[in-house]
Every structure is written in structure tokens, then in C-alpha cells.
Amino acid sequence: MLINSLKISIRSILNNKVFSLINIFGLSVGIGTCILIILFIKNELSYDRFNKDANRIVRVVFRGSVQGEKMNEAHVMPPVAKTLKAEFPEVEKATRLRNGGIPKVGHNGKVFMNSRFAFVDSNFLTFFTLPLITGNPATALIQPGTIVISQSAATKYFGKENAVGKTLHFKDQDVDFTITGVMKDIPKNSHFHFDMLGAMSTFPESTSDTWMQSEFHTYLLLTKGYNYKDLEAKLSKVFDKYVSPQLQEAMGMNIENFRKAGNDLGLFLQPLTDIHLHSDTSGNLEPGGDTNAVYIFGVNALLMLLIACINFMNLSTAGASKKVKGVGVRKVLGSSKRMLIGQFMTESILLTFLATILALFFVELSIPFFNELSGNKLDLSFSLHSFLIPGLLLFTLLVGMLAGSYPSFFLSSHNPVAVLKGAKAFAEYPDKRFGVRSGLVVVQFMVSISLIICTFVVFSQLQFIRNKKLGYDKEQVMVIPDIYVLGNSKETFRQEVLQNPEVLRVSISGYLPVGQSYNNNFFIYPDNDAALQIKTLRYDVDENYIPTLNIQMLEGRNFSSLNASDSASIILNESAVKALGWNKNVLGRYLTHSDNAGVQTTYQVVGVVRDFHFKSLHMHISPLVMVYGKTTGSMIIKAKTVHMANLVSDIQNKWTKLAPEEPFRYSFLDEEYSNAYRAEERLGLIIGIFAGLTIFVACLGLLGLALYTAERRRKEIGIRKVNGSKNWEVIIMLNKDFIKWVALAFVIACPIAWFAMH
């Protein structure tokens, strides 16, 4: 029975090649897109789950609010780990990580500068699932000056030699580290990736008892079955106990009075498996994923699959009308309704199976392109995705049965005698009146038109980002990082750069409005009243910073190297002035800052700059203060020319003469700005591609229906042509019903798209 049904189904597919090809190809694109998005979502949801105790690990984060300015940081104070371990028995283990950046590593006369480094506690390798190839994870990082490196780093530095026991020299700190272990490369789906892990005992600040600074990423392992929310509720008392006396010393008020003034500080917990997708904190070890992207892609996958299935059902239904007489003959010859339904189902499932095979081929071809576009490392490996084969088989069965259900039950229920006498089993397609099939056309084009509108909105937002006036000039600005490596030659290099006629200005500062920059929390208060303090970001700049970036002065003046009092001067942005509650008479007023030890410094306001975007455009402009001083960090060069190649070459030559052993690195501020929104660019492009595929599949289905309609009305078209109808009149006649339903879809799609994008 089954073999006979398969033979009939294959014969039917071959007899309707065009229809079958459109049906298979459209469904395969939908299935392929869905598979690709499922792989992406699965990868995003898998982050940090390779750790055997992932469901029991939480990260401690710091949150607060000072006069309405929020603090939300991924790192906390040095003693938090040992304090929470001692205070709460439900904390089995605690460990810390302190980001060490990308140091210059010397070995055998060579300098390497592309390995990420971090200081970690001695239990870090046993806390997380980071297996060692050589070395003992329990003891490898106990002694100061010890380090564990990744397998890739070991190969890069030592080739095939055994790395354990060898020494690496960190030139920045002038420190030697002895290698005590080689670990496997940290998996891609981790929220941190380091090539080298050094013993925390090497880092002096790790033993500090201060609760007034936070640079340590801290993780807790909780007892089995314990709800982290219960521990989170207890943290405030412990936090207040240790913070209050230090806050009193630094700011002249305890934590209770600090909160009475409308402020708040505290520790909170975040599950390890939430870090990648659900981090709204600053100071993360790596950029996280985008929850919105997961939702958008998931919805897109469902919509694409919905349209593909609607197409499949529409075309199957339309094609089934050709088989009306065949069904009548078979019923007359004794076929039961059950047998006819089985035949239609078999053909539908076979078409779906062929579409699924073609979809897997499409996915295999498109994965490299998608990885390059999205920055992921997806892999269509059935060994990695055990759910894929049973899932696809179940999907094939369900879609095939769904698509074949309507025509099979409808056709098999008709009176065979009436059918053989010429009665219509199906109305003309599309329906003259609104019915099931017309409804399916409306639904698929409603989805397609909504996606078109949403795509236009996304691209208009990206265009807004590109053209937004930022309040500073990012064009023709070259940035040379780590200028401190020049030592005493820093000023000499600056003067030599200024001698180039294509250079307009040069500034040195560790603070950039975009890209890599220092970060801090700087608390200031007016009128010697600590209760009025506000949280700001502090920029240490020289006198050339504001004119180099063409930041506009609203009132007052810029810093000057000729004015000795400017070492105690300060420049505010507009947001800082508003946060302080000053409406007028800003210039000449005084602000006080207390450091962690309670030492107070008073600054006089000499200028106000117009607000400029020094954070992401996703965030509002927060209060900013600029303090004058001899700074380090990056050299910021404003050029006169748009042809930067010659300028870069000249500056590199000057660098090499002064520091031949130091690698010359540079970037451009406009490129840093573009990189800051690379995720949005990628997301917009991927959404555009998926929307385009969805529209393509919808139009493909419409093409199939148009071909079917033209074939059904071939005689009518011939008669009309003989009677003098023009081609455009025939085209209007064939398409007016489709246009009617597409117009209805447009009317419905517009408010839906507006609501979704709003």
C-alpha cells in the first residue's frame, strides 16, 4: 500500500514539475532559514553552560544610584569574595578575576602583544570547568609569579616544546611569570576568554580591604538547590556593615545618611548562565549577546516558516484541483476515503521531505557566510546537535500532514458522480470572496509587508547612527594607544608629530569619546555639602583635548598650560551643571571631591562645554567633568588631510626612531565609532537578508498561484486575445484578485509594523 502510494506520488510530482519545484524550493528556503536561526539561538543560549556547576554559580554585581545617576557594574570590591564566603554558609566557594588587559610579553628576544591576561584566585581553575593539559589545577596558581597559559598560547610561544617551567617576561610591569600549567582553550561560548591566567597573589591590590573601589569580577558557588534570590536578600546588611565606616571616612556620612539623601548602593547576584544575554552592567569582560536579536531572529524564523507552510498549503490546494477527476475515478473503482487521504498525505510528506533535504544543503552552504556576518562560530554537525535529526523528521511529518490535510479531506469528501459530470470541486483561485485560501494569501503578505516596513525602520535607525551629530569631530582623527611606552620621549614625539604640515593639533589623554577608554566613578559635591554630591565621569585631559576634538565651549575658557592654577580647575558639561542644580553663575564656583582615603580636593569651575556623546547612543549623556593635568594613555592627532596614508607612514617612522622595540599601533576615531555600532550594523543586515528571503518565498508562492490561474484560464485568455484584448488588460484580469488581497494585507500590516517597531 505504502509503496504504491509512493509510486503515485513520485509520478504526480514528475507530471507537475514546475509546481513541484516551486513548492519544494519555497519550503526549503523557509526550513533552511529556520534551521540556521535555531542554530544561532541555541548557540546564544548555550553560553557558560559547559561548566559542570553552571546552574549553581552566580556573579556578584554592584548597583547604585547617586542623585539619579545610575551605577551598574560587573565588578565589585576586593574583599567581597572572602567576606561573603565567611558570612554565608550557603556559599560553598568564591573566586575572583581581575582583568589584566593585553600585556607585552617577551620571550627569546621576541615581543608578543595579542594575548589576553587576567589575575585569578588560586581556586579559579577548579571553580570553573577549565581542564589543564599539563599541570595540577589545584596548585598551579597558588604561588606568586605563576601563570597558566592556553594551548594556543603555548603553541605560539614555544611551538612543540613543553611550556611548563618556562618563563614569560611582562614588559609593562617588568615582571617574570613561571608557567605552571597549560589549559585547553576556553570554549567559544564563554563570557570570558583569556590566553593567560596569573596568580592573584602577584597582584598587590588583591589583598586590599577597601570597599570604595571595584575592579574584581567575583563569582560564588552556591549549595545545591539553593535559590540565589534568598542570598541576594541578605546582602544589604553585610554590605552596610563593611561599607558604612569607610563611607563615613571618605565622604563624612554613613550609609544610612547616604540613603536618606536619596542615594543607594548595594550588591546583587546574577546567574552565570544569564551573563551573556542579560547583562546591563558596565565593565563586562566581553561584549554580551543581544536578547533582542534572539527574539527578533526567533520571530523571523517562525514567520518565515509560517509563510513557507502557507505557500506550500496554497500550492498543494491549487494543484489538488487538477486531480478532481482522478479522485472521482478512484472512488468509483472502490477506493475508500481513508485510502485517498493517505495518498494525498503521502505526496505532501514526500514533498516536505525533499524540501528538508534541500534545506540542509542550503544551510551547509550559508553557514560560513552567516558566521562571518554575525561573528559566531556555528556548525551544522549532527553530533553537536543531536536534536536536529529527530526534530527535522517530526517537522517533515507535521508540515506534510498539515499541508496535505485540507486538499485530502476536501477532495475525498466529494460525490464521485457529480465530479465526473463536471461539477467544480474547487472555486477559482484566488477566491472571489474572502475564504480560507484568500485568508492565507492575506496572512503571508501581511507578514511580508510588516517585515519590509520593519526593515526600513531598522535601516533608517542605522542611518541615524551614521549621521548623528555627536558634539565632537570624529573625522580625520588618528589615535595612537599606549603612548606611555615612549617614557621620557613622549613629549619629544608629540613635538615631532606637530612638525608635520598635515597635522593640525595633538592631544594626549586616556579618555576617548568612543572606543577603548578609561572608566571611573567620580563623586563631587558643591558648597562643601557632601549630601549634595553627584556621580560623574572624570576625564583627565590636557589643554589641547577640547580643540583637537572640536568640542564646543558654551561659557568660560579652556585649560591653559600658562595658568598654574588650572591644576585645580575643572570644566563641566551641560549635564553636570543640570545635575548640580545650577541655573546660572556657574563660572568661579567650587566643587569638592573626596577620595577613598577621605582626602579632599577642591576644584574651581572655569568652563562649561556643550554636551557631547561620550557613551553609546543607547544611553543618555551623563554628567562629565574634565580635570587638567599631564596625562597619558592615547595620542589624539587631528589631521588637515583626508589622505592619511602618507601621514601614518611619517608618524610611524618617527615612532620607530624613538622606540624601535615597541610595535606601532593606531586607529581612526571614525572607525572606532563604526566599530562601536558593528553589532547594530550586523543585526540590521541580517534582518534585511531574512526579510528579503521571507518576501522572496511569499512572491514565489504568488508566482505559483499566478501560473496556476493562467493555466486554468488558458481558453478564456485565448478568446479574449482573439477578441482584441491587450496584454496589459489580460495581466490586470489575472492579477486583480491578488492585488485586492495584497492591498488588504498592506492595510493590516501597517499598524502591526508600527506597533512592533515602536
Side-chain angles (χ1 to χ4, degrees):
M1 177 67 181
L2 179 60
I3 294 176
N4 183 56
S5 295
L6 283 172
K7 286 181 179 179
I8 296 172
S9 298
I10 293 171
R11 193 179 301 125
S12 176
I13 292 172
L14 294 176
N15 288 337
N16 298 277
K17 294 183 181 66
V18 175
F19 242 39
S20 299
L21 184 61
I22 291 175
N23 228 347
I24 292 171
F25 186 75
L27 187 59
S28 67
V29 172
I31 296 173
T33 302
C34 195
I35 293 173
L36 198 60
I37 293 176
I38 287 173
L39 294 179
F40 167 79
I41 293 175
K42 181 177 180 291
N43 179 70
E44 290 294 289
L45 296 177
S46 71
Y47 267 71
D48 294 304
R49 297 184 187 275
F50 64 87
N51 293 287
K52 64 178 182 180
D53 295 318
N55 293 328
R56 298 166 55 199
I57 297 174
V58 293
R59 180 175 71 174
V60 187
V61 298
F62 174 67
R63 293 189 179 126
S65 174
V66 178
Q67 297 299 317
E69 282 296 319
K70 302 292 184 182
M71 290 181 289
N72 203 358
E73 299 175 353
H75 40 70
V76 294
M77 306 80 181
V80 167
K82 69 176 183 180
T83 302
L84 298 187
K85 176 69 174 66
E87 293 277 353
F88 300 107
E90 52 265 49
V91 178
E92 286 190 7
K93 295 180 185 178
T95 195
R96 298 174 300 167
L97 180 151
R98 174 63 157 77
N99 193 356
I102 303 177
K104 288 183 293 182
V105 181
H107 176 68
N108 285 343
K110 297 181 180 179
V111 177
F112 301 88
M113 197 174 176
N114 52 6
S115 297
R116 293 192 62 189
F117 170 72
F119 290 103
V120 297
D121 282 329
S122 59
N123 65 344
F124 193 83
L125 296 171
T126 55
F127 189 96
F128 293 101
T129 306
L130 301 173
L132 295 190
I133 299 172
T134 55
N136 185 341
T139 60
L141 294 174
I142 292 178
Q143 297 299 322
T146 55
I147 192 172
V148 170
I149 64 176
S150 68
Q151 189 174 9
S152 296
T155 302
K156 177 173 63 180
Y157 296 140
F158 307 104
K160 295 183 179 179
E161 297 180 27
N162 182 15
V164 175
K166 291 185 168 59
T167 301
L168 294 175
H169 180 69
F170 281 31
K171 300 189 69 177
D172 297 335
Q173 297 92 2
D174 194 22
V175 174
D176 288 330
F177 283 93
T178 301
I179 298 172
T180 54
V182 176
M183 65 179 177
K184 291 184 179 179
D185 289 350
I186 297 175
K188 296 291 185 183
N189 56 343
S190 172
H191 79 282
F192 60 76
H193 293 90
F194 293 96
D195 304 291
M196 303 179 292
L197 300 175
M200 184 69 79
S201 54
T202 313
F203 188 59
E205 292 181 18
S206 64
T207 57
S208 171
D209 287 327
T210 179
W211 286 73
M212 301 304 291
Q213 63 183 28
S214 59
E215 290 294 336
F216 291 81
H217 295 263
T218 301
Y219 304 87
L220 310 176
L221 177 67
L222 307 181
T223 55
K224 291 183 178 179
Y226 187 81
N227 187 345
Y228 78 93
K229 285 290 186 182
D230 295 335
L231 174 61
E232 188 175 66
K234 304 176 186 177
L235 293 182
S236 60
K237 289 184 179 179
V238 172
F239 181 80
D240 292 358
K241 172 183 173 183
Y242 290 95
V243 167
S244 191
Q246 295 188 17
L247 192 67
Q248 180 72 45
E249 182 180 358
M251 298 184 180
M253 65 175 73
N254 58 27
I255 190 68
E256 184 178 351
N257 291 331
F258 184 78
R259 290 199 174 103
K260 285 181 179 178
N263 309 309
D264 197 14
L265 297 172
L267 299 178
F268 298 84
L269 303 178
Q270 180 182 32
L272 177 68
T273 52
D274 285 355
I275 291 176
H276 177 66
L277 282 178
H278 302 283
S279 284
D280 57 351
T281 52
S282 62
N284 286 306
L285 294 170
E286 293 181 8
D290 188 347
T291 310
N292 289 329
V294 173
Y295 291 145
I296 289 170
F297 288 170
V299 170
N300 215 316
L302 293 175
L303 293 178
M304 168 66 95
L305 197 57
L306 173 65
I307 286 181
C309 290
I310 287 174
N311 270 349
F312 189 76
M313 185 179 295
N314 268 339
L315 294 176
S316 297
T317 303
S321 62
K322 293 182 178 182
K323 306 169 187 177
V324 173
K325 290 188 177 180
V327 170
V329 171
R330 294 182 67 181
K331 291 189 76 171
V332 169
L333 294 176
S335 291
S336 65
K337 183 176 181 179
R338 182 178 177 183
M339 293 171 61
L340 292 172
I341 291 173
Q343 175 59 53
F344 280 107
M345 289 292 188
T346 302
E347 183 176 336
S348 183
I349 292 171
L350 179 60
L351 284 169
T352 309
F353 177 77
L354 294 174
T356 303
I357 298 298
L358 186 59
L360 291 173
F361 175 73
F362 286 157
V363 171
E364 189 66 35
L365 289 179
S366 60
I367 275 183
F369 171 74
F370 184 81
N371 285 341
E372 182 178 353
L373 189 63
S374 65
N376 285 286
K377 298 292 182 183
L378 304 185
D379 181 19
L380 184 63
S381 173
F382 293 109
S383 60
L384 296 176
H385 310 291
S386 56
F387 70 94
L388 206 53
I389 292 179
L392 287 175
L393 289 175
L394 180 61
F395 171 81
T396 300
L397 186 63
L398 289 176
V399 173
M401 292 178 65
L402 181 64
S405 60
Y406 182 65
S408 61
F409 282 99
F410 193 80
L411 281 176
S412 61
S413 64
H414 275 74
N415 187 315
V417 176
V419 169
L420 291 175
K421 285 183 177 181
K424 290 184 178 180
F426 277 72
E428 293 295 328
Y429 203 99
D431 300 339
K432 300 292 183 182
R433 293 176 298 174
F434 192 82
V436 174
R437 289 168 291 163
S438 297
L440 294 176
V441 172
V442 171
V443 168
Q444 70 175 158
F445 276 94
M446 178 192 70
V447 171
S448 300
I449 293 167
S450 297
L451 287 174
I452 292 173
I453 297 172
C454 293
T455 303
F456 275 121
V457 172
V458 169
F459 280 104
S460 68
Q461 288 289 304
L462 294 175
Q463 193 67 22
F464 171 81
I465 288 174
R466 295 188 194 102
N467 300 323
K468 170 69 175 175
K469 291 184 178 180
L470 303 171
Y472 66 90
D473 186 2
K474 69 179 187 299
E475 305 300 328
Q476 297 160 228
V477 178
M478 181 179 174
V479 179
I480 303 175
D482 302 328
I483 199 73
Y484 66 89
V485 300
L486 294 176
N488 295 330
S489 301
K490 180 175 65 175
E491 184 58 28
T492 302
F493 178 67
R494 179 178 175 275
Q495 293 300 328
E496 289 189 3
V497 170
L498 278 169
Q499 290 176 9
N500 189 306
E502 299 298 333
V503 173
L504 185 63
R505 294 184 181 276
V506 176
S507 174
I508 297 176
S509 176
Y511 298 88
L512 297 171
V514 69
Q516 291 187 347
S517 183
Y518 301 153
N519 196 10
N520 55 56
N521 291 317
F522 190 69
F523 297 94
I524 55 174
Y525 51 88
D527 307 322
N528 290 319
D529 188 351
L532 300 177
Q533 69 181 321
I534 65 168
K535 172 191 170 295
T536 72
L537 183 67
R538 168 175 169 161
Y539 271 23
D540 289 275
V541 302
D542 61 14
E543 69 274 14
N544 298 299
Y545 187 86
I546 290 174
T548 297
L549 292 177
N550 196 24
I551 299 170
Q552 184 178 351
M553 294 290 305
L554 283 182
E555 56 180 311
R557 62 174 177 84
N558 185 22
F559 297 121
S560 172
S561 59
L562 302 177
N563 195 333
S565 65
D566 274 0
S567 60
S569 297
I570 199 169
I571 294 176
L572 309 176
N573 70 345
E574 292 177 278
S575 293
V577 173
K578 292 176 183 176
L580 289 165
W582 293 347
N583 297 320
K584 56 184 179 179
N585 301 326
V586 175
L587 301 180
R589 299 186 69 166
Y590 291 91
L591 293 168
T592 304
H593 166 69
S594 294
D595 64 15
N596 296 333
V599 178
Q600 295 183 343
T601 305
T602 300
Y603 299 92
Q604 184 178 34
V605 180
V606 298
V608 178
V609 296
R610 185 178 295 279
D611 277 346
F612 63 96
H613 289 275
F614 54 90
K615 293 182 179 181
S616 167
L617 292 178
H618 296 289
M619 306 170 67
H620 73 280
I621 298 176
S622 60
L624 171 73
V625 301
M626 295 182 181
V627 178
Y628 178 67
K630 296 299 181 182
T631 63
T632 185
S634 299
M635 179 172 283
I636 308 165
I637 303 168
K638 175 63 176 177
K640 299 177 183 177
T641 177
V642 295
H643 305 291
M644 303 292 286
N646 292 335
L647 177 60
V648 171
S649 178
D650 178 66
I651 294 175
Q652 184 173 6
N653 290 334
K654 297 180 189 308
W655 176 282
T656 304
K657 288 178 183 178
L658 293 173
E661 294 183 357
E662 300 294 341
F664 177 73
R665 298 184 296 131
Y666 69 94
S667 62
F668 294 104
L669 202 60
D670 56 349
E671 292 178 353
E672 294 282 359
Y673 180 79
S674 297
N675 291 336
Y677 299 97
R678 189 70 66 200
E680 284 86 351
E681 294 277 357
R682 286 173 171 172
L683 179 61
L685 185 55
I686 293 172
I687 289 174
I689 291 172
F690 285 152
L693 287 173
T694 305
I695 296 160
F696 169 74
V697 171
C699 291
L700 195 65
L702 196 59
L703 172 64
L705 293 177
L707 290 174
Y708 164 75
T709 303
E711 185 178 342
R712 285 287 301 268
R713 304 175 72 170
R714 184 184 301 175
K715 290 183 179 180
E716 179 186 348
I717 293 170
I719 294 171
R720 286 178 179 270
K721 293 282 286 184
V722 168
N723 289 326
S725 291
K726 302 289 191 298
N727 287 338
W728 63 269
E729 292 177 321
V730 174
I731 291 172
I732 292 175
M733 180 269 294
L734 291 174
N735 289 288
K736 63 180 180 181
D737 292 312
F738 290 117
I739 293 172
K740 177 175 63 178
W741 301 132
V742 171
L744 177 61
F746 179 81
V747 172
I748 299 173
C750 286
I752 293 175
W754 177 88
F755 177 79
M757 298 313 291
H758 185 71

